[in-house]
């Protein structure tokens, strides 16, 4: 298989630049960032534990599926901590959160 052309490589780079994957927690994260990350992880675990699709979570929360996608991929810079807690409580009212 030959190496891709410069044109094809450029197109691939452009496509990858637009792709949004999950954001991981930085080693120097603040306690608040760790707490917010933990909430997202709990929402993701709830989704997986209950074999739910993203749209099912969105429907249960009464929010747009795009917002759920952002939460599941930790792209939450525009979502308040209060909202994240509210969403988690709607999914699992018995959940406990700990700030460390």
């Amino acid at each position: 298989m030959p190496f891709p052309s410069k044109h094809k490589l450029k197109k691939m780079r452009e496509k990858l630049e637009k792709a949004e994957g999950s954001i991981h927690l930085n080693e120097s994260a603040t306690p608040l960032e760790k707490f917010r990350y933990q909430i997202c992880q709990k929402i993701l675990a709830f989704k997986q534990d209950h074999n739910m699709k993203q749209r099912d979570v969105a429907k249960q929360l009464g929010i747009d599926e795009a917002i759920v996608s952002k939460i599941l991929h930790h792209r939450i810079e525009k979502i308040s901590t209060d909202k994240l807690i509210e969403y988690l409580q709607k999914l699992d009212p018995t959940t406990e959160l700990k700030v460390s």
Side-chain angles (χ1 to χ4, degrees):
M1 175 185 290
F3 196 74
S5 68
K6 286 184 180 182
H7 176 72
K8 186 164 184 143
L9 286 172
K10 181 181 176 187
K11 290 287 185 190
M12 291 167 71
R13 278 190 211 99
E14 288 171 357
K15 187 174 181 181
L16 286 172
E17 286 174 359
K18 295 177 186 174
E20 288 191 2
S22 294
I23 295 177
H24 297 282
L25 193 60
N26 190 330
E27 286 182 22
S28 62
T30 66
L32 178 59
E33 290 169 330
K34 291 176 184 177
F35 181 66
R36 290 167 52 82
Y37 188 87
Q38 177 188 13
I39 295 170
C40 293
Q41 288 293 97
K42 286 184 176 285
I43 292 171
L44 177 60
F46 183 89
K47 175 190 170 290
Q48 292 171 338
D49 291 346
H50 292 84
N51 296 317
M52 297 174 78
K53 295 185 185 286
Q54 189 171 292
R55 76 176 132 276
D56 299 328
V57 175
K59 186 175 180 179
Q60 189 165 341
L61 293 175
I63 61 175
D64 192 78
E65 192 175 337
I67 296 171
V68 173
S69 176
K70 289 186 182 305
I71 293 168
L72 298 177
H73 293 94
H74 309 289
R75 296 187 167 277
I76 53 171
E77 55 279 346
K78 295 183 180 178
I79 304 171
S80 74
T81 303
D82 289 345
K83 275 292 180 193
L84 290 172
I85 293 169
E86 177 186 322
Y87 297 150
L88 180 57
Q89 289 293 305
K90 277 186 180 179
L91 293 174
D92 185 6
T94 64
T95 194
E96 291 184 16
L97 296 171
K98 179 181 175 184
V99 180
S100 53

